[in-house]
Amino acid sequence: MTTQPIVREFEADLTVVSAVEAAADVVTLTLAAQDGSALPPWTPGAHIDLVLGDDLVRQYSLCGSPADSGQWRIGVLRAPDSRGGSKAVHAELSAGATVKVRGPRNHFPMVASPRYLFLAGGIGITPMLPMIAEAEASGADWRLVYGGRSRSSMAFLDELAAYGDRVTLLPQDEAGLPDLDALLGVAAEDTLVYTCGPTGLLDAVEERCAAAWPAGSLHLERFAAKAPADAGDDTSFELVLQRSGLTLSVPADKSVFEVCREAGVSVVGSCLEGVCGTCETEVVEGDVDHRDSILNDEEKESNEFMMICVSRCRSDRLTLDL
């Protein structure tokens, strides 16, 4: 058996060049290599991991310019219900600090299209910024509808002002919630919908696009996992790790990720909720029960990759490229 080389993703301690308040409770961090070297390339929709502690890893969308290989920019909301990540960023990552970074990864890629409708809620504006810049540079027709709690809570307004009336701002305390029925009730020809923001917005957009838009029109990125599947019917299955030469058993009450870790197999995970994509693994054989919030229907049907932190197997045996 030929062993495939393991490709290690970029991981390094980066310097915080600047930490700037972009809106109420939103800070933008600019990160650079300590020796000034170029950072790995990325495309609109990509995110990076910030390793903020031994068991504290969080993902943030890159919102600068992919053309700038010397710096990465992210925007971080200090969430009132933070589990520690955003609080650590706001409290500890000032200019001059260092932070371990992994990535970038892109599970929210921008597909070429003559037209785009961008729908952003709150800090969900961050992945949209480089997408909008690319759409503008390509000559595509596009529109952004950007909602937030209030104007003072909405970041990057100065940057967006340069695009004029292509951008519609909807502070909730001034204009209420976006009228999704008007925006999405009828499918627009040759148009892709990109959305990112709170769960309520994404669920509502997903519902309307499913009812009226062609398959493949909607592209979204979630900050929080969808409601978990009922684990009551989970069963055990055999797990074959092709490169490691191991055959393991995954019981009903453990994930593939947990079983691999317990067997001493090197797997990397972060959110462990099927949101970040860190644990994405190539499937060799097996009928995967996809439970992540990343892959679209077409990607799940292709059965080429799975998120081993949440997804399971419907067949008796699952073979992975591990």
Side-chain angles (χ1 to χ4, degrees):
M1 182 178 68
T2 301
T3 300
Q4 297 296 319
I6 299 174
V7 179
R8 300 292 184 186
E9 69 177 358
F10 174 81
E11 180 175 312
D13 290 330
L14 301 187
T15 298
V16 179
V17 177
S18 65
V20 179
E21 184 177 353
D25 292 324
V26 176
V27 64
T28 57
L29 302 183
T30 301
L31 307 170
Q34 294 178 336
D35 62 0
S37 59
L39 297 172
W42 59 280
T43 54
H47 69 262
I48 56 175
D49 293 347
L50 295 192
V51 183
L52 302 166
D54 291 340
D55 296 309
L56 188 59
V57 181
R58 295 292 182 266
Q59 293 72 44
Y60 299 103
S61 297
L62 290 168
C63 61
S65 169
D68 184 356
S69 62
Q71 296 182 330
W72 284 343
R73 185 179 71 162
I74 59 173
V76 181
L77 169 69
R78 179 166 46 204
D81 56 349
S82 170
R83 294 176 297 166
S86 68
K87 287 182 179 178
V89 170
H90 279 255
E92 301 170 14
L93 296 186
S94 55
T98 60
V99 60
K100 186 177 293 295
V101 177
R102 292 197 298 245
R105 297 181 213 95
N106 197 342
H107 293 284
F108 191 37
M110 190 173 179
V111 178
S113 176
R115 296 178 195 74
Y116 298 95
L117 172 59
F118 298 106
L119 300 173
I123 199 62
I125 188 61
T126 49
M128 303 292 181
L129 295 176
M131 289 184 177
I132 288 168
E134 181 162 308
E136 182 77 1
S138 71
D141 184 16
W142 63 271
R143 178 187 179 192
L144 167 68
V145 178
Y146 175 22
R149 297 187 311 276
S150 64
R151 196 173 294 268
S152 64
S153 73
M154 298 168 67
F156 308 109
L157 297 187
D158 289 345
E159 293 180 31
L160 293 170
Y163 295 116
D165 60 6
R166 288 179 181 247
V167 175
T168 300
L169 301 179
L170 295 176
Q172 187 175 345
D173 60 351
E174 299 176 22
L177 297 172
D179 186 347
L180 296 182
D181 289 328
L183 291 167
L184 301 170
V186 177
E189 186 178 359
D190 295 328
T191 300
L192 295 182
V193 179
Y194 277 78
T195 186
C196 186
T199 299
L201 171 67
L202 301 188
D203 288 347
V205 170
E206 195 170 36
E207 178 183 349
R208 285 161 176 79
C209 284
W213 289 67
S217 298
L218 175 62
H219 300 258
L220 57 80
E221 182 172 54
R222 293 182 179 271
F223 294 141
K226 293 180 180 180
D230 184 1
D233 295 330
D234 287 349
T235 58
S236 62
F237 56 91
E238 188 177 74
L239 175 65
V240 178
L241 305 183
Q242 184 168 271
R243 281 195 276 117
S244 302
L246 295 176
T247 299
L248 308 169
S249 177
V250 180
D253 61 346
K254 287 188 178 180
S255 67
V256 173
F257 184 90
E258 289 173 311
V259 168
C260 288
R261 274 281 178 90
E262 289 174 1
V265 178
S266 178
V267 288
V268 180
S270 177
C271 72
L272 304 185
E273 296 178 342
V275 174
C276 72
T278 306
C279 68
E280 183 178 44
T281 302
E282 184 176 351
V283 177
V284 178
E285 187 178 15
D287 183 11
V288 178
D289 178 8
H290 292 283
R291 300 182 181 183
D292 64 90
S293 302
I294 300 172
L295 301 177
N296 60 34
D297 291 341
E298 183 179 344
E299 290 167 331
K300 291 177 179 178
E301 187 174 344
S302 73
N303 212 50
E304 294 180 3
F305 297 92
M306 68 179 288
M307 307 304 155
I308 61 173
C309 66
V310 292
S311 296
R312 299 186 64 80
C313 186
R314 296 188 183 93
S315 49
D316 293 334
R317 173 183 287 199
L318 174 67
T319 304
L320 299 179
D321 184 29
L322 282 172

